[in-house]
Amino acid sequence: MRDGRKVTLSDVAAHVGVSAITVSRALRTPEKVSLKLREEISRAIDLLGYVPDPAARALASSRTDVIGVIIPSVTNSVFADVLRGIYTAVEKTPFDIQLGNTRYSPLKEEKLLKVFLGQKPAGLIVSGIDQSERGRSLLETASCPVVQIMETGENPVDIMIGFSHYEAARAATIHLIEQGYRKLAFMGARMDPRTQRRFQGFRQAAAEAGLFSEERVVTTAEPSSVSLGSQLFCELIEQAPDLDAVFCINDDLALGVMFEAQRRRLSVPDRLGICGFNDLEMMAAAEPPITSVRTFRYEMGKRAVEMLLEAIAVGRGHRGTIVDLGFEVRKRASTARGSCGASD
Amino acid sequence: MRDGRKVTLSDVAAHVGVSAITVSRALRTPEKVSLKLREEISRAIDLLGYVPDPAARALASSRTDVIGVIIPSVTNSVFADVLRGIYTAVEKTPFDIQLGNTRYSPLKEEKLLKVFLGQKPAGLIVSGIDQSERGRSLLETASCPVVQIMETGENPVDIMIGFSHYEAARAATIHLIEQGYRKLAFMGARMDPRTQRRFQGFRQAAAEAGLFSEERVVTTAEPSSVSLGSQLFCELIEQAPDLDAVFCINDDLALGVMFEAQRRRLSVPDRLGICGFNDLEMMAAAEPPITSVRTFRYEMGKRAVEMLLEAIAVGRGHRGTIVDLGFEVRKRASTARGSCGASD
DNA sequence: CTCAGTCATGTTAGCGCTGTCACGCAACGA
DNA sequence: TCGTTGCGTGACAGCGCTAACATGACTGAG
């Protein structure tokens, strides 16, 4: 501000003695402006405290430096990690993040998509592959690159980066079986489509070994938490007292199960195996350390942005790229049955 | 879109047979447009799929519906809760959130403030009271209401909502002393100003009881985590083997301490009392449940937005409002030394 | 019947910036 | 000498919307 009035491009231009467009170019395409002018302009900008008006820029050029990010939840620590990756990658660029929160509702997602796309974003990052039909077609006709994160699947809208929740759950279940567990239980909360696919992976692996039983499944629509894990475990063990291992849809639940097991003096891993999902930092630190499926959330966010920037630079071209970041079953004490402990 | 061309206000206006400004009014100040036209316009908007261009609106009216939120970290679960409150409160309003991430750097905060203020936000929510001098003066001359969250203190820029970290830490420490602990230790990570004030609260309470010792203090600049809690506890007990209670700057550290205590077969709470800070959900679910200082993060975010909206409605007026949300020491088993257990 | 007052709608201009094209000038080959 | 090319700069218009004022139809008091 200067005299309480906004400092504009023309103010800077007048101060240097050039036209406004030259200042604009000095900012956006410096290579088109002579070095001497560039320096003078830069000095004037500092002196006057000029800050570009993004609204005016967006209006004039029908482009913005905004990358829209649409995720189901800001609270969920899984997305927190993804966001950290996203913010890190965006930090050294001129782009801004605009966050949208679907709260796991496809309808809200659709509405957000409309709003975001109306703002002519430079790019869009959306979570998952389960857009509503209208949402999907909005994405397909979007005039900016789109990255779908969290999951891989058929038919990417544009770019896709994630991993297979089905395979990850399957691998974890196989690990439990390999450790000698036979009465496998499944615990799920907030059964969104991603979670459903994890369940399918569990079910498939268990069924293949002839170990699947509907009785040893608890799910709820409630959002997961540590205490919910404890609570669901109580239900689970009541309806199937002979269970010997639990695969939990996420680490919060797994931790809750472990605490409840301690409360009930069920020894982990001998009497009860526990496997979580996501491999939050605390799983390795727990006592005993808890087996979990490691996913590369930070990397996912980071690479999503990097790929988006690349696509922005060349203009939509990579259509169809799918990056599978994979996963890793981190085997820890909570499922280390057999080697030393006795089974019952 | 329609014929690949953006649908504008005038398109809607032409379709209904009115002028553009009438459509604009139907959207912004419906009470100034006759019911009949309003309905026709609304139908036309749906039919054509019109989405307002926020950039054009911002440029023409020098106002936006954006509330800037500047916080140190998106990852930190403390801020995740605050954000949840903010998003919840904003959800039913026409306002959008623009998130900025200072990464605990006052310089970055200053830069963000400049950028945000350049966008003429409707309001601003900033974290804490430790802005740099320039940052502070930017806030003071801002032409929108400003809410400082997370902490209370002297001289609010405008509105302030939070609690006293000093008093909260002090109360927790007094609780430890009351429980009979005498060799009080302090564990801190990422020692930002807020954390420093917690340390001062601990120090004061301990010193008043003649129980403060520099030897029983560990701090680090690293960001906190559960495993860091375990690790720091190892250091702590090495340098002060006789400690009998730890006050941790946050719950991650506290959980790490508890796991490490279990590993070392130190009984909690008899041999070791543990107190965390923030009262994350998992603290009550842990085994044993861990004492922590409950803070009202969700409420803070929610009320910050509500107060902001009010201030926006009346135009900056509440200057100087300070809302202290207080805190609550949740006494649980991890500090229930002796006979009497704690509830909750 | 007149005239101020009210209400619903329209006209005009311009927010701050950039796309587009035009222009002046130096360097260079024919 | 002229044309050609390329570079750096400027003039102008217009992005989509709304502030401010203007207009016209209608109301009701005097």
Side-chain angles (χ1 to χ4, degrees):
Chain A
M1 301 285 170
R2 200 165 170 85
D3 307 336
R5 186 148 270 86
K6 195 172 202 307
V7 180
T8 71
L9 256 196
S10 335
D11 296 334
V12 177
H15 191 265
V16 177
V18 295
S19 74
I21 189 70
T22 301
V23 179
S24 170
R25 277 198 277 255
L27 257 42
R28 304 298 161 199
T29 49
E31 72 280 4
K32 291 187 179 168
V33 176
S34 66
L35 182 63
K36 183 170 152 289
L37 270 187
R38 236 149 63 203
E39 282 170 348
E40 281 183 53
I41 288 170
S42 147
R43 259 196 303 279
I45 286 176
D46 284 347
L47 180 67
L48 301 178
Y50 169 70
V51 179
D53 182 332
R57 174 167 147 71
L59 186 56
S61 67
S62 12
R63 292 183 300 109
T64 61
D65 283 347
V66 171
I67 293 176
V69 176
I70 299 185
I71 56 174
S73 157
V74 265
T75 316
N76 193 316
S77 53
V78 168
F79 290 105
D81 286 337
V82 177
L83 282 179
R84 195 161 48 89
I86 289 176
Y87 275 98
T88 305
V90 142
E91 189 151 83
K92 28 186 184 315
T93 77
F95 291 92
D96 284 327
I97 294 299
Q98 173 82 40
L99 211 58
N101 198 200
T102 70
R103 295 172 174 272
Y104 295 92
S105 146
L107 225 79
K108 205 153 177 2
E109 176 170 44
E110 203 178 301
K111 204 180 129 211
L112 275 170
L113 278 174
K114 240 191 204 151
V115 172
F116 275 39
L117 287 172
Q119 303 184 26
K120 312 157 195 148
L124 215 50
I125 296 178
V126 301
S127 170
I129 60 179
D130 302 293
Q131 284 77 34
S132 68
E133 204 169 316
R134 282 182 51 82
R136 168 91 194 186
S137 84
L138 279 171
L139 285 176
E140 264 159 3
T141 57
S143 53
C144 65
V146 175
V147 181
Q148 291 167 287
I149 60 170
M150 296 313 291
E151 199 168 357
T152 53
E154 310 284 301
N155 302 321
V157 167
D158 189 3
I159 299 170
M160 185 176 260
I161 179 164
F163 63 95
S164 164
H165 291 249
Y166 176 89
E167 291 300 340
R170 198 159 171 279
T173 310
I174 289 172
H175 164 69
L176 288 174
I177 296 170
E178 283 173 356
Q179 294 298 305
Y181 295 106
R182 288 296 172 265
K183 309 283 192 180
L184 306 180
F186 176 91
M187 179 182 296
R190 174 131 56 202
M191 297 301 287
D192 62 32
R194 259 185 303 288
T195 322
Q196 294 287 2
R197 282 188 276 276
R198 286 184 214 158
F199 175 59
Q200 292 309 328
F202 168 84
R203 181 183 193 133
Q204 178 67 22
E208 275 170 10
L211 299 175
F212 181 77
S213 159
E214 292 276 6
E215 258 187 3
R216 293 193 297 270
V217 172
V218 266
T219 62
T220 166
E222 278 178 69
S224 61
S225 66
V226 178
S227 49
L228 184 65
S230 297
Q231 190 186 311
L232 289 179
F233 183 68
C234 296
E235 291 177 27
L236 198 52
I237 204 158
E238 189 145 323
Q239 84 194 38
D242 61 342
L243 65 85
D244 63 3
V246 190
F247 172 61
C248 304
I249 230 53
N250 65 40
D251 289 342
D252 284 351
L253 294 180
L255 194 61
V257 170
M258 196 191 73
F259 286 139
E260 188 58 30
Q262 288 178 0
R263 239 164 258 137
R264 290 168 179 253
R265 310 259 178 266
L266 300 177
S267 90
V268 176
D270 293 334
R271 168 65 184 84
L272 182 72
I274 302 176
C275 178
F277 199 100
N278 281 324
D279 198 30
L280 298 189
E281 182 268 336
M282 62 185 175
M283 301 313 269
E287 174 55 29
I290 302 173
T291 296
S292 190
V293 180
R294 182 174 174 204
T295 57
F296 303 89
R297 302 178 295 284
Y298 176 86
E299 288 73 14
M300 201 183 320
K302 193 150 166 285
R303 291 212 45 200
V305 170
E306 287 164 0
M307 294 171 77
L308 199 55
L309 293 178
E310 217 176 297
I312 290 168
V314 303
R316 256 189 186 241
H318 294 265
R319 265 180 172 282
T321 311
I322 300 184
V323 177
D324 189 337
L325 289 174
F327 55 85
E328 190 186 341
V329 180
R330 305 288 292 212
K331 301 163 185 173
R332 302 209 178 86
S334 76
T335 56
R337 192 199 225 183
S339 47
C340 43
S343 49
D344 95 307
Chain B
M1 302 284 171
R2 199 164 171 83
D3 306 334
R5 187 146 271 88
K6 195 173 205 303
V7 180
T8 70
L9 256 196
S10 333
D11 296 333
V12 178
H15 191 267
V16 178
V18 295
S19 74
I21 189 69
T22 302
V23 179
S24 169
R25 279 197 276 253
L27 258 42
R28 305 297 160 199
T29 48
E31 72 280 4
K32 291 187 178 168
V33 176
S34 67
L35 182 61
K36 182 169 151 291
L37 272 186
R38 236 149 62 201
E39 281 169 350
E40 281 184 55
I41 287 171
S42 147
R43 259 195 304 277
I45 286 175
D46 285 346
L47 180 68
L48 302 178
Y50 167 70
V51 179
D53 182 332
R57 173 168 148 72
L59 187 57
S61 66
S62 18
R63 291 183 300 110
T64 61
D65 283 347
V66 171
I67 293 176
V69 176
I70 299 184
I71 56 175
S73 159
V74 264
T75 315
N76 192 316
S77 53
V78 168
F79 290 106
D81 286 338
V82 177
L83 282 179
R84 195 161 47 89
I86 288 176
Y87 276 98
T88 304
V90 143
E91 189 150 82
K92 29 186 182 313
T93 77
F95 291 90
D96 284 327
I97 293 299
Q98 173 82 41
L99 211 57
N101 199 199
T102 69
R103 295 172 176 270
Y104 295 93
S105 144
L107 225 78
K108 203 151 180 1
E109 177 170 43
E110 205 178 300
K111 203 180 130 211
L112 275 170
L113 278 173
K114 241 190 201 152
V115 172
F116 275 39
L117 287 172
Q119 302 184 25
K120 312 157 194 148
L124 216 49
I125 296 178
V126 301
S127 170
I129 59 178
D130 303 293
Q131 285 76 33
S132 68
E133 205 169 315
R134 280 182 50 82
R136 168 91 195 186
S137 84
L138 279 171
L139 286 176
E140 264 159 2
T141 58
S143 54
C144 66
V146 174
V147 181
Q148 291 167 288
I149 59 171
M150 297 313 292
E151 199 169 358
T152 53
E154 310 284 302
N155 303 321
V157 167
D158 189 2
I159 299 170
M160 185 177 261
I161 178 163
F163 63 96
S164 164
H165 291 248
Y166 175 89
E167 291 299 341
R170 198 158 171 280
T173 309
I174 289 172
H175 164 68
L176 288 174
I177 295 170
E178 284 172 356
Q179 294 297 306
Y181 296 106
R182 289 293 172 266
K183 308 283 191 178
L184 307 180
F186 176 91
M187 179 182 296
R190 175 129 59 199
M191 297 300 288
D192 62 31
R194 258 185 303 288
T195 323
Q196 295 287 1
R197 282 187 275 275
R198 286 184 215 157
F199 176 59
Q200 291 310 326
F202 167 84
R203 180 183 194 134
Q204 178 67 23
E208 276 170 10
L211 299 175
F212 181 76
S213 158
E214 293 276 6
E215 257 188 5
R216 294 192 297 268
V217 172
V218 266
T219 62
T220 166
E222 278 179 68
S224 60
S225 67
V226 179
S227 49
L228 184 65
S230 297
Q231 189 185 313
L232 289 179
F233 183 68
C234 295
E235 292 177 27
L236 199 52
I237 204 157
E238 188 145 322
Q239 84 194 38
D242 60 342
L243 66 84
D244 63 2
V246 190
F247 172 60
C248 303
I249 229 55
N250 66 40
D251 289 342
D252 285 352
L253 293 180
L255 194 60
V257 169
M258 196 191 73
F259 286 140
E260 188 57 30
Q262 287 177 2
R263 238 164 259 136
R264 290 169 179 252
R265 309 261 178 267
L266 300 177
S267 89
V268 176
D270 292 334
R271 167 66 183 84
L272 182 72
I274 302 176
C275 178
F277 200 100
N278 281 324
D279 198 30
L280 298 189
E281 182 268 335
M282 62 184 174
M283 300 312 268
E287 175 55 29
I290 302 174
T291 296
S292 190
V293 180
R294 181 173 175 206
T295 58
F296 303 89
R297 303 178 294 284
Y298 175 86
E299 287 74 14
M300 203 182 323
K302 192 149 168 286
R303 291 211 46 198
V305 170
E306 287 165 0
M307 293 170 76
L308 200 55
L309 293 177
E310 215 175 299
I312 290 167
V314 303
R316 255 191 189 243
H318 294 265
R319 266 183 172 279
T321 310
I322 300 183
V323 177
D324 189 337
L325 289 173
F327 55 84
E328 190 186 342
V329 179
R330 306 288 291 213
K331 300 164 187 174
R332 301 205 179 91
S334 75
T335 55
R337 197 191 222 184
S339 49
C340 49
S343 53
D344 179 300

